[in-house]
Amino acid sequence: MADLQISIAGGEGKSLPEGCTVAEAIKALVSSKERKRILAARAGDRMLDLSETLHADTVLEPIVKDSPEGLDILRHSASHVMAQAVVELFGPDIKVAIGPATSDGFYYDFDRKEAFTPDDFEAIEAKVKEIAAANLPFSREMMPLSEAKKYFADKGEKYKVELLDEITDDAVSIYRQGDFVDLCRGPHISHTGLLRAFKLIRIAGAYWRGDENNVMLQRLYGTAFFDPKELKKYLFQLEEAKKRDHRKLGKELELFTINEQVGPGLILWQPKGALARKLIEDYWKDEHYRNGYELLYTPHIAKRDLWATSGHLDFYVEDMFSPMEIDDVSYQLKPMNCPFHIGIYKSKKRSYREFPIRWCELGTVYRYERTGALQGLMRVRGFTQDDAHIFCLPEQLEEEIFNIIDLNLHILKTFGFSDYDVYLSTQPEKFVGTEDNWQKATEALKLALEKKGLDYQVDPGEGVFYGPKIDIKIKDVLGRSWQCSTIQVDFNLPERFELGYTAEDGKDHQPIMVHRALMGSLERFFGVLIEHYAGAFPLWMAPVQAKVLNITDAQLDYTEKVFNDLRVAGVRVEKDTRNEKLNYKIREAQLAKIPYMIIIGDKEKDTEMVTVRLRNGKNLDPMSVSDFAGLIRKESIVGE
């Protein structure tokens, strides 16, 4: 048997016999201390189990427990163990579908006549612990395709057979742990004993293969960690996330509502939410004005032909609402604002002296989302983008991207977000324009990120159909990532719409167009703000800054005066003069997340002062109404 040259990436290789396992190679190349951390290995674009055999010269890159890939392997393995537990508990009539790892755990889909309930979780978790304690090895086997189809068909596993029908390889890999067998590419952990921290989270419905024309399966979600302390931390954050759920707080704080008679995914902003939105919009407009932008307003519909020119009908039609006929002409609810801004650009002949042109709009757009995908403010059918488009000369592009990044990070910081991940999203499979223009646009974004000194990751194929983009995903107080900001360089729409300008040489040239949104959508961003602050907004964006509370009816006149004086002074104030106990009123104001409570009793009335209580329970020294108004003005400076 011939020897192979096997090495660890970046290290020296060794001659090892052909057919040796990955585990044997690692034992020969890595110290015993390091080996304990290794779960699997990458060889080129493949991930290998420790039990896989090597038949060619190979450079191995170990995958360790505390890496994202290592955690994915554990969680994928956990989904198999959970499926085994469910089948053993509830019988072979259950049909299993798929069970991948996710960003924060895993799921497995089951076809079962009876509905799972949270009451089943305890039994499933106990069975998982039993399987884990048995230290069952994950055994990988290659099975001829025809044999695999017969094997799963004989077991009645129709979902596995359907998946196999789409495979053209001669053989497929299956995995066994104990008596449970699953179709899977792997890799997996070496044995079930590594599964020490496991928890079922929730149940959901899921159409087979995401197609609403297929059968509805039951999806069990769970999570797993190598360290039980990490699981405990995650479960704490999960409970905290439930308390911060923007749908729950949005209802309790009367910020927004969704009415089925109006339509799913369409947000109704209530007075308090509308006021918070106004404060956000005013700040956004002021910052853009200071940074050289001009404000636009555009319609909600346009002729359908416009979307043919832009390319949306070719690449985006599934996300658009059905057209409407007006005077025998087909019109379309807008999914994007960019063609409207192009229309304004084309309203007159442009000169190079006008550039850069920076236009911004809080433009409401409409996109079709499936009902099952809708989620509060996070996934909606009508939303307002904080949109902007910059038309610039080639030599201005780099500076414009710099300026956008600076403004973007400044605005995010003002709202309390200073932790984020940056991604460079590249050319997708379906795109418009030339390879040359895509290369130029991608290089422009890459160069700007590098010159700004921003760490970033490449997100292959995730650009929009007309250009590459920079995506900024902010992290909230719980460390969760949210996609908000995007910056896109576009050579294609200017070409499709035949945009031009008179250059210094007197000839007609084509401008470069940059699309960008900083908050993404007001609805989604507001939902993130609610959860980030748990509804207790900073004073400058709190819809109600203070609430005036009287102790008895004897102070009604003075309470009314304080309330009116504060309104005149510009304080966003409410009053509670109900015949209720003071502690009850205070408790309600705290639950409403109101920053300040103004207490009015006989002492305050007699001295024409107020007692001020913070929502955290702390009391300030008595002060005059004018002093309190001054305090509010000082603390309401945006970003302070």
Side-chain angles (χ1 to χ4, degrees):
M1 188 176 291
D3 280 352
L4 305 175
Q5 282 297 310
I6 310 297
S7 63
I8 297 295
E12 294 185 5
K14 285 191 176 183
S15 294
L16 296 171
E18 182 182 352
C20 69
T21 65
V22 173
E24 289 169 341
I26 287 174
K27 184 176 181 180
L29 295 164
V30 177
S31 69
S32 58
K33 182 179 179 181
E34 282 297 304
R35 287 202 303 271
K36 293 178 182 178
R37 300 173 58 235
I38 297 174
L39 289 176
R42 182 179 290 282
D45 59 356
R46 285 193 63 218
M47 289 199 293
L48 309 176
D49 285 319
L50 295 178
S51 61
E52 285 203 50
T53 54
L54 301 174
H55 299 279
D57 293 348
T58 308
V59 177
L60 297 174
E61 184 180 345
I63 298 172
V64 296
K65 289 182 180 179
D66 52 1
S67 68
E69 286 180 326
L71 194 55
D72 279 348
I73 291 170
L74 175 74
R75 288 169 171 173
H76 188 188
S77 302
S79 78
H80 279 231
V81 174
M82 180 181 72
Q84 178 183 357
V86 167
V87 171
E88 289 184 8
L89 281 171
F90 300 104
D93 289 341
I94 289 179
K95 305 306 174 191
V96 296
I98 57 173
T102 64
S103 60
D104 56 2
F106 60 87
Y107 66 78
Y108 212 111
D109 290 341
F110 300 93
D111 188 347
R112 182 191 183 213
K113 290 181 181 179
E114 298 82 8
F116 289 111
T117 72
D119 293 337
D120 296 321
F121 284 11
E122 185 176 345
I124 296 171
E125 289 172 351
K127 177 61 73 171
V128 167
K129 289 180 181 178
E130 180 184 315
I131 296 169
N135 289 326
L136 301 176
F138 274 88
S139 174
R140 183 178 187 271
E141 302 173 24
M142 293 302 295
M143 183 179 285
L145 181 61
S146 58
E147 186 180 328
K149 287 182 180 180
K150 183 178 185 306
Y151 174 81
F152 285 105
D154 289 346
K155 293 182 68 177
E157 294 290 0
K158 59 182 181 180
Y159 302 105
K160 303 296 181 185
V161 174
E162 184 176 328
L163 294 173
L164 286 165
D165 283 340
E166 297 178 359
I167 295 175
T168 58
D169 296 336
D170 294 332
V172 294
S173 58
I174 64 168
Y175 278 83
R176 299 178 187 269
Q177 78 267 9
D179 295 328
F180 184 76
V181 179
D182 207 348
L183 174 69
C184 187
R185 290 191 181 94
H188 285 285
I189 54 179
S190 56
H191 59 84
T192 60
L194 293 174
L195 184 56
R196 298 172 50 235
F198 168 96
K199 186 70 177 175
L200 281 175
I201 303 298
R202 62 188 175 94
I203 308 165
Y207 291 109
W208 168 235
R209 312 197 85 169
D211 187 339
E212 57 194 19
N213 296 313
N214 289 337
V215 65
M216 174 74 80
L217 303 175
Q218 297 185 70
R219 178 170 291 178
L220 295 184
Y221 283 93
T223 194
F225 292 86
F226 288 104
D227 186 346
K229 291 180 181 177
E230 288 297 312
L231 175 60
K232 185 177 180 180
K233 177 182 175 182
Y234 173 79
L235 295 176
F236 171 79
Q237 288 185 321
L238 208 60
E239 286 303 309
E240 187 64 25
K242 288 179 183 178
K243 296 175 189 176
R244 293 169 178 263
D245 190 317
H246 74 281
R247 293 165 295 185
K248 171 179 173 287
L249 290 175
K251 182 178 181 180
E252 292 174 356
L253 302 180
E254 298 180 344
L255 298 172
F256 71 93
T257 188
I258 299 171
N259 185 293
E260 286 300 314
Q261 191 173 18
V262 172
L266 302 173
I267 304 303
L268 303 175
W269 293 77
Q270 294 178 266
K272 290 185 177 66
L275 182 51
R277 172 172 171 159
K278 175 190 178 296
L279 296 165
I280 293 169
E281 289 184 354
D282 288 348
Y283 165 70
W284 184 91
K285 290 174 184 177
D286 291 344
E287 284 300 307
H288 280 74
Y289 183 77
R290 278 193 281 269
N291 282 272
Y293 287 78
E294 296 174 296
L295 188 65
L296 303 180
Y297 290 99
T298 60
H300 292 246
I301 63 172
K303 289 181 178 179
R304 191 168 170 83
D305 287 349
L306 179 72
W307 309 106
T309 302
S310 70
H312 286 87
L313 291 186
D314 294 327
F315 296 91
Y316 207 74
V317 69
E318 291 183 358
D319 297 300
M320 298 166 67
F321 279 98
S322 300
M324 62 188 86
E325 297 296 319
I326 303 173
D327 297 333
D328 297 324
V329 177
S330 186
Y331 281 78
Q332 181 72 52
L333 276 170
K334 66 174 178 179
M336 304 280 187
N337 297 303
C338 32
F340 294 85
H341 293 196
I342 287 172
I344 295 173
Y345 180 94
K346 295 185 72 173
S347 65
K348 69 174 186 177
K349 184 70 175 176
R350 303 287 172 178
S351 164
Y352 74 95
R353 296 179 185 275
E354 298 177 59
F355 292 99
I357 297 170
R358 304 185 188 104
W359 287 335
C360 63
E361 178 185 11
L362 293 166
T364 300
V365 298
Y366 303 89
R367 299 179 188 174
Y368 172 68
E369 293 276 3
R370 292 182 176 180
T371 302
L374 299 174
Q375 184 198 1
L377 295 171
M378 304 305 189
R379 292 290 290 270
V380 295
R381 288 177 172 166
F383 59 91
T384 302
Q385 284 187 309
D386 69 315
D387 219 344
H389 296 94
I390 294 93
F391 300 90
C392 64
L393 309 177
E395 60 268 26
Q396 296 170 334
L397 179 59
E398 183 176 292
E399 185 177 357
E400 287 306 304
I401 297 174
F402 284 175
N403 292 340
I404 293 169
I405 292 173
D406 286 342
L407 177 60
N408 198 337
L409 299 183
H410 168 69
I411 286 180
L412 292 178
K413 185 177 180 181
T414 299
F415 285 109
F417 301 107
S418 55
D419 192 7
Y420 43 79
D421 292 318
V422 181
Y423 296 85
L424 176 61
S425 300
T426 59
Q427 182 177 302
E429 187 176 333
K430 293 176 66 178
F431 65 93
V432 295
T434 66
E435 293 279 357
D436 182 54
N437 280 344
W438 271 87
Q439 182 67 24
K440 288 178 185 176
T442 304
E443 284 301 313
L445 292 174
K446 180 181 177 182
L447 189 63
L449 288 172
E450 290 173 352
K451 286 191 174 181
K452 273 290 177 186
L454 290 173
D455 292 330
Y456 68 93
Q457 302 174 47
V458 175
D459 205 353
E462 290 303 311
V464 289
F465 70 87
Y466 51 77
K469 59 178 179 169
I470 292 170
D471 287 323
I472 299 178
K473 297 182 180 181
I474 59 175
K475 291 186 178 180
D476 67 12
V477 70
L478 297 182
R480 299 173 299 177
S481 290
W482 302 95
Q483 171 62 57
C484 290
S485 310
T486 184
I487 305 166
Q488 304 161 6
V489 174
D490 183 4
F491 289 87
N492 295 305
L493 286 186
E495 185 175 298
R496 293 174 77 95
F497 282 95
E498 299 180 342
L499 300 188
Y501 67 91
T502 303
E504 194 170 6
D505 61 7
K507 297 179 181 179
D508 201 43
H509 292 260
Q510 183 179 292
I512 298 172
M513 185 177 182
V514 182
H515 310 246
R516 50 112 286 206
L518 308 185
M519 296 184 287
S521 88
L522 280 179
E523 285 75 8
R524 180 181 175 82
F525 193 72
F526 190 56
V528 174
L529 285 172
I530 292 171
E531 299 203 3
H532 182 64
Y533 288 110
F537 300 115
L539 191 66
W540 74 267
M541 74 171 86
V544 180
Q545 295 174 316
K547 196 162 194 173
V548 185
L549 314 174
N550 64 316
I551 296 177
T552 70
D553 287 350
Q555 301 96 38
L556 281 175
D557 289 346
Y558 184 58
T559 300
E560 191 70 29
K561 182 179 184 304
V562 170
F563 171 74
N564 289 328
D565 288 350
L566 289 175
R567 280 182 71 93
V568 170
V571 178
R572 298 189 293 277
V573 63
E574 288 183 346
K575 60 183 175 181
D576 185 350
T577 57
R578 293 175 298 167
N579 187 20
E580 298 284 356
K581 291 182 178 180
L582 179 63
N583 285 342
Y584 178 80
K585 293 181 181 182
I586 290 173
R587 176 62 177 159
E588 286 214 327
Q590 287 176 322
L591 290 174
K593 315 286 186 176
I594 296 172
Y596 289 102
M597 284 145 272
I598 310 300
I599 313 299
I600 306 293
D602 286 338
K603 180 181 177 182
E604 287 77 17
K605 178 182 177 181
D606 293 341
T607 59
E608 294 191 343
M609 302 284 276
V610 293
T611 294
V612 181
R613 181 184 177 93
L614 281 63
R615 60 186 164 200
N616 64 8
K618 181 182 176 182
N619 288 321
L620 302 182
D621 294 333
M623 64 183 74
S624 68
V625 174
S626 61
D627 284 346
F628 177 72
L631 173 70
I632 293 293
R633 282 193 296 272
K634 181 180 178 181
E635 292 189 1
S636 293
I637 298 172
V638 178
E640 293 293 320

